[in-house]
Amino acid sequence: MKSMIRGIFTAAILAFMLPMMIYFWVDVFKNPKYHAPITLDYDKKQAELQQILNTITIGLPPFDERDDHKRTDAQSISITYKYHNLSYIDTKILLENIQKIADTELPAYDTSSHSFKRQFCVGENEISVGDYNFDNLYQVHLYVKFYKYGDCRRWVYENSR
């Protein structure tokens, strides 16, 4: 009985995982340059992300919180600005500033906890902006990141072929 349950469980896991694994390996085969190892200069990339933030926050009040994240194992780096109770006009200015420098807008996913969420690409870097309500505190999070396997890096790769 236990071996039958174990066999059914293993088959279910394989049925779920196998298509994802096949898709990944086909993508590695079809796009070897995209999956090739990269050397990421984190200080240079952080300065680049900071320059993007400086450009898109012109005309906005100072941010309330800042979070910096660097993951060498995932080859990603990000900077997040959090604004508490940002006005509608300031939010509109922020979106206009982003649209001036963005190369493209990505379709936003998982918008269930936001009244708005938008994602943009500036080269291989992603800008994500969305709002949250935490304990009756309205927050706007402005998130700029680079990730080796990010959607913006793939967009640049596919449009440069």
Side-chain angles (χ1 to χ4, degrees), residues 44-54 77-79 125-126 144-146:
K44 184 178 177 184
K45 185 53 80 171
Q46 185 170 21
E48 184 181 333
L49 296 178
Q50 186 61 55
Q51 180 61 38
I52 291 170
L53 281 168
N54 292 345
I77 186 167
S78 66
I79 303 172
N125 304 307
E126 179 182 326
V144 179
K145 75 172 183 177
F146 170 84

Side-chain angles (χ1 to χ4, degrees), residues 77-95:
I77 186 167
S78 66
I79 303 172
T80 305
Y81 283 0
K82 296 178 184 176
Y83 291 95
H84 300 161
N85 297 317
L86 193 65
S87 72
Y88 171 78
I89 293 170
D90 289 335
T91 304
K92 189 174 177 182
I93 290 170
L94 175 61
L95 290 172

Side-chain angles (χ1 to χ4, degrees), residues 2-91:
K2 283 186 179 181
S3 64
M4 186 174 82
I5 292 173
R6 188 176 304 140
I8 292 171
F9 180 73
T10 303
I13 294 295
L14 281 175
F16 178 72
M17 295 296 294
L18 196 58
M20 289 187 288
M21 292 170 52
I22 291 171
Y23 173 79
F24 174 76
W25 287 110
V26 167
D27 192 50
V28 168
F29 179 73
K30 289 172 90 176
N31 302 306
K33 287 175 79 177
Y34 176 74
H35 291 278
I38 63 172
T39 302
L40 184 60
D41 182 345
Y42 288 95
D43 293 332
K44 184 178 177 184
K45 185 53 80 171
Q46 185 170 21
E48 184 181 333
L49 296 178
Q50 186 61 55
Q51 180 61 38
I52 291 170
L53 281 168
N54 292 345
T55 302
I56 62 178
T57 56
I58 292 173
L60 295 177
F63 58 87
D64 296 302
E65 289 180 50
R66 176 187 169 127
D67 292 326
D68 292 65
H69 294 281
K70 175 172 69 171
R71 290 194 52 198
T72 55
D73 59 333
Q75 291 187 307
S76 69
I77 186 167
S78 66
I79 303 172
T80 305
Y81 283 0
K82 296 178 184 176
Y83 291 95
H84 300 161
N85 297 317
L86 193 65
S87 72
Y88 171 78
I89 293 170
D90 289 335
T91 304

Side-chain angles (χ1 to χ4, degrees), residues 132-143:
Y132 301 85
N133 278 306
F134 294 115
D135 297 328
N136 296 324
L137 177 64
Y138 179 72
Q139 294 184 7
V140 173
H141 290 198
L142 175 60
Y143 183 72

